Amino acid sequence: MKLNRGALSAGAALLLAVGFRAMDVSAPTGLFSVRERVYQGVRWVCADELARHLKGSVGKDSVSSYPALLLGGRRILVSTASPMVSLDGQIVKMAHVPREAEGCLWLPEEFLTNVLPKALGGPVRILGEEAKPMVQVVPPVKSVAGSGQAVTVDTAVSADFVRITLAGEGVTGAEVTRSGREVLVRLRSGAFSAPAHELGRGIVERVAPDREGKVLRVDLGDRFKKLDILKLRNPERLVLAVKGESQQVPAPPPSGNAGPGLPPEPAASAPESPGTSFAKEMPVKTPALDVVVLDPGHGGGDTGAVAPGGRTEKDIALELSQRLVPLLEAQGLKVVLTRTEDSTVSLMQRTAIANFNQADLFLSIHLNASPAPGARGPEVYFMSRDATDLWASELASKENLEGQGTDTGSGLHLVLWEMAQTAFLVESAFLAETIQQNLNSILGTASRSVRQAPFAVLEGARMPAVLVEVAFLTHGDDLRKVNDPSFQEQVARGLAEAVAAFKERYENPAAPADVP
C-alpha cells in the first residue's frame, strides 16, 4: 500500500487563483454567511471559517493525518485523496475530493448539503440561485482531455465463471451484441489496448480485439450458459460476467512451491499467459480443509509501499509467504502461491487462482504505510461492502488502484456480489481475529483490532479470505523488525498457528473456540 499526499494538486493550485464570493447558508443553528470560491462550476468553502460559524473545530487525525472536524458534537474525518468523509465512523460519499491549499481545507458545496445535515441533525440549505460576488473571479485554466482513450481488458477465470473487465473512458457506451457463440463489443470511441487472451475451453475460449482495436470478440465455448453485462463507474468499466461449467484453462509448466528445499511439484492455477495444453482435470473439492492459497501482495511493476532505504512491500510480502509455506505443509496442507517470483498478477486473477484450485482458505499478505509517523502494528481485514472507517476505506481504495482492481461500490451486485464474501463472513471474521491477536502479541500492539473493507483482491474469493497488513514500513521499529529474518519466522509461525486454529474449527464445528 502506498500513500502520497504531500504534493499540492493542480486543482488546488488553480483554486488559489480564484477570487472570493459570499455564500448564505441556512442551518439548524441559524443563518450565516461564509466566503466561497467557485472553481469549474463547483462552490468551495474553507473548513476553518465554517467551523467558526458552527462553534466547532478543525484538527488532524493522529492515525491517518487526514483533517478532522468537530461540528455539532460529531467527528468528521475528511479524506483529501478520495471524495468521501467519515461521520462518526459512517462513510459518506461526495462528488468532489476536498483540497488543502493556502493553509485551508476547502470543502465542496455538497459537504454542506449532504454531510452537515447528518452532523447538525437538520436540513442545511445554500440560499440564492447565484453566488454574490465580493471580488473579481479569475476564470480557471481549462484542461484539455486527451483523445484516443485506451481501453484495457482484464480476465479472471474459475471453474464455472469467467469475468472480462473492460476499463476506460466511454467504455460503458459500447455496443454489446451476441450471436450464437460469439459476443462482439464495439467501442464508440477509443481503442482496445490488449493482446488476444487464450482462456481455455468450456465457457470462454478466446478474447481478442480486431486489427483496428475498435471491436472486441469473445468466443464462447460449448459449456457456456449465461451472459450478464454490468456497467460500473468511478472508474468507468464494462463487465462481461460469463457463467457456465467445467472451464478448462491452459496448463502452466510445472513450477516448484516456494518453501526452501522443497521438491518441485505441479501447481494448478489459472495463468494469465496464453497456452496450448489444457488441464486434464479440475481439482477435487474435499470436506476437509486441505488447500490454502497464499497471495504475496503486489509484484512486478507494482512495488506496493516503499520503505526508507528502498525496501519494497512486494519483496517482503513474498519473503513472508515463502516462510509460511513449509509451516502450512507440515500441517498436511497443500499450498498454492499466486506468485513465486517478482511478477505481475492482477487482483482478479489472484482470486481466480484460488477458486480454480478449490481452495479452502485465501490469505493475502501485505505491508502497510501511513503519513502519520506514529502508525504501527498489524491490521487484518476481511471482505465487506462497507468499510469499518475512513482509513479502512482509503486503504482498500489504494490497494485496489495499485493492483488495477475493480471498484467495490454500488456496482457490486448481481453476478459480482454472488462471487463475494457474503457466505463466508463469519469464518473470515474468526480467522482475521485469530491472526490479529497472534500478530498483536508478536508486535506488542494490543490496541489494534480487525477491520472490514471492500478489497478487490478479496472480492471474488469463494472461500474464507482475509488480507493481512503485517506492519507499517513507514514506522522505524516496524521496519527494523520486518527486515529481521527471525522476526519474519515469528510472523510466519503466528499465521500458521491461526490457520491451524481455523482448520480445527472448520473440521470440527462443535469444538469450543476462544475467539468469537
Side-chain angles (χ1 to χ4, degrees):
M1 190 210 83
K2 293 180 286 189
L3 296 176
N4 181 11
R5 306 183 188 125
L8 180 66
S9 69
L14 286 172
L15 188 59
L16 298 183
V18 182
F20 288 110
R21 298 181 177 214
M23 176 189 290
D24 294 329
V25 181
S26 170
T29 55
L31 297 174
F32 61 91
S33 182
V34 294
R35 295 181 304 167
E36 68 167 338
R37 278 173 162 156
V38 180
Y39 170 61
Q40 290 187 341
V42 180
R43 304 164 77 174
W44 302 79
V45 299
C46 178
D48 289 314
E49 188 171 346
L50 186 64
R52 282 197 300 271
H53 283 289
L54 297 175
K55 302 187 186 310
S57 62
V58 181
K60 288 280 187 181
D61 178 66
S62 59
V63 174
S64 66
S65 287
Y66 281 137
L69 284 72
L70 189 64
L71 301 176
R74 310 287 295 276
R75 185 174 185 272
I76 306 172
L77 188 61
V78 181
S79 172
T80 53
S82 303
M84 64 177 71
V85 303
S86 172
L87 177 62
D88 288 343
Q90 180 70 35
I91 301 297
V92 181
K93 294 190 176 182
M94 301 186 296
H96 303 89
V97 180
R99 306 175 186 273
E100 289 182 301
E102 207 177 45
C104 180
L105 169 66
W106 294 92
L107 301 170
E109 58 187 283
E110 64 266 20
F111 179 90
L112 281 77
T113 56
N114 296 351
V115 180
L116 271 189
K118 296 178 174 64
L120 302 180
V124 175
R125 292 189 300 118
I126 299 174
L127 303 179
E129 293 296 323
E130 298 292 338
K132 299 177 294 184
M134 293 176 64
V135 299
Q136 182 65 35
V137 176
V138 179
V141 178
K142 294 183 178 179
S143 61
V144 180
S147 59
Q149 174 73 33
V151 175
T152 62
V153 180
D154 196 3
T155 60
V157 181
S158 66
D160 59 355
F161 187 90
V162 175
R163 179 170 58 183
I164 304 165
T165 303
L166 315 178
E169 185 177 343
V171 72
T172 55
E175 177 188 18
V176 182
T177 59
R178 178 190 158 209
S179 177
R181 288 169 54 179
E182 178 183 86
V183 176
L184 298 178
V185 182
R186 292 182 173 87
L187 295 177
R188 299 183 187 276
S189 62
F192 291 108
S193 64
H197 291 248
E198 303 289 345
L199 300 186
R201 298 171 183 165
I203 305 172
V204 175
E205 296 182 351
R206 191 170 190 263
V207 177
D210 66 359
R211 187 168 298 178
E212 291 75 28
K214 295 296 184 181
V215 179
L216 185 75
R217 173 173 170 167
V218 180
D219 294 328
L220 302 174
D222 56 5
R223 291 184 287 278
F224 158 80
K225 289 186 176 180
K226 183 182 179 183
L227 170 67
D228 285 310
I229 301 169
L230 302 178
K231 296 181 179 182
L232 307 178
R233 301 192 180 278
N234 299 321
E236 192 171 357
R237 281 147 302 132
L238 182 69
V239 179
L240 307 181
V242 191
K243 287 187 172 182
E245 59 183 18
S246 302
Q247 175 79 3
Q248 292 179 303
V249 300
S255 59
N257 284 339
L262 295 177
E265 61 180 53
S269 62
E272 295 194 341
S273 58
T276 55
S277 62
F278 296 89
K280 295 289 191 298
E281 297 179 359
M282 298 293 296
V284 177
K285 180 73 172 176
T286 69
L289 192 155
D290 49 17
V291 180
V292 175
V293 168
L294 298 181
D295 173 44
H298 306 277
D302 176 15
T303 62
V306 180
R311 283 279 275 165
T312 61
E313 178 182 0
K314 66 175 183 178
D315 290 337
I316 300 174
L318 182 58
E319 291 167 9
L320 288 167
S321 299
Q322 289 172 333
R323 292 183 184 276
L324 181 54
V325 170
L327 300 178
L328 296 179
E329 290 185 330
Q331 300 178 24
L333 297 170
K334 174 185 176 183
V335 183
V336 177
L337 284 90
T338 58
R339 66 181 181 96
T340 58
E341 57 188 17
D342 186 14
S343 58
T344 300
V345 184
S346 74
L347 296 179
M348 287 183 286
Q349 195 69 17
R350 293 170 190 258
T351 42
I353 290 171
N355 292 334
F356 180 80
N357 281 281
Q358 302 286 342
D360 301 300
L361 195 61
F362 181 83
L363 189 58
S364 189
I365 308 296
H366 290 253
L367 284 302
N368 219 332
S370 172
R376 64 178 295 262
E379 291 181 338
V380 186
Y381 293 82
F382 63 97
M383 181 69 185
S384 172
R385 185 192 296 262
D386 299 313
T388 302
D389 51 32
L390 183 63
W391 174 250
S393 180
E394 187 63 33
L395 176 61
S397 297
K398 289 292 181 182
E399 294 283 11
N400 295 347
L401 177 64
E402 288 165 21
Q404 300 179 350
T406 60
D407 171 55
T408 51
S410 60
L412 270 184
H413 58 291
L414 300 177
V415 177
L416 293 187
W417 194 248
E418 288 178 22
M419 292 184 68
Q421 281 282 294
T422 310
F424 305 106
L425 287 180
V426 174
E427 292 91 340
S428 296
F430 173 85
L431 175 64
E433 187 67 37
T434 307
I435 292 174
Q436 185 73 59
Q437 290 184 5
N438 288 358
L439 295 186
N440 280 347
S441 177
I442 293 170
L443 280 97
T445 50
S447 61
R448 289 286 176 183
S449 59
V450 167
R451 297 182 176 188
Q452 294 174 260
F455 285 97
V457 74
L458 303 181
E459 174 195 319
R462 296 182 178 181
M463 73 287 301
V466 299
L467 183 144
V468 182
E469 300 274 0
V470 173
F472 281 81
L473 295 186
T474 46
H475 187 275
D477 191 46
D478 276 13
L479 177 59
R480 178 185 59 78
K481 288 179 178 178
V482 297
N483 280 328
D484 182 353
S486 64
F487 176 80
Q488 289 190 9
E489 284 291 339
Q490 279 186 279
V491 171
R493 284 196 298 272
L495 294 173
E497 289 169 4
V499 171
F502 182 84
K503 178 178 171 64
E504 175 65 23
R505 175 187 170 102
Y506 183 96
E507 296 178 347
N508 301 283
D514 295 329
V515 182

